[in-house]
Amino acid sequence: MLKSMKNKIQLAAMKAHQALTNPSGDQMTGWLIVVLIVVVVGAIFMVLYQDSISLIWNKIVSKITGLIR
């Protein structure tokens, strides 16, 4: 089973390498657009929900520290 997982990881890495080194500019441009969209959406999400995220995070940390004490 471990060998199968290793083979899958190697195959995925090889496919990623081929995609990134593909001389076709269209594919690379597409990936750059996808990355840009993900970064922009993530930044907007973080700005809009920063207070909620901080509140949830602080509650999680206080629960964990309460369990440790």
Side-chain angles (χ1 to χ4, degrees):
M1 183 168 163
L2 184 60
K3 189 172 186 175
S4 173
M5 183 63 89
K6 185 177 179 183
N7 288 341
K8 287 181 183 179
I9 292 172
Q10 286 176 338
L11 182 62
M14 186 173 64
K15 285 183 179 180
H17 182 275
Q18 288 173 347
L20 292 175
T21 58
N22 189 349
S24 171
D26 293 339
Q27 186 173 9
M28 184 59 74
T29 304
W31 279 110
L32 289 173
I33 291 170
V34 169
V35 169
L36 180 64
I37 290 171
V38 169
V39 168
V40 169
V41 169
I44 292 171
F45 177 82
M46 290 297 291
V47 168
L48 292 176
Y49 298 104
Q50 183 176 6
D51 293 336
S52 299
I53 293 169
S54 297
L55 181 65
I56 293 168
W57 179 253
N58 289 335
K59 285 184 179 183
I60 291 170
V61 170
S62 65
K63 289 241 185 217
I64 293 172
T65 54
L67 292 173
I68 293 174
R69 292 181 189 172

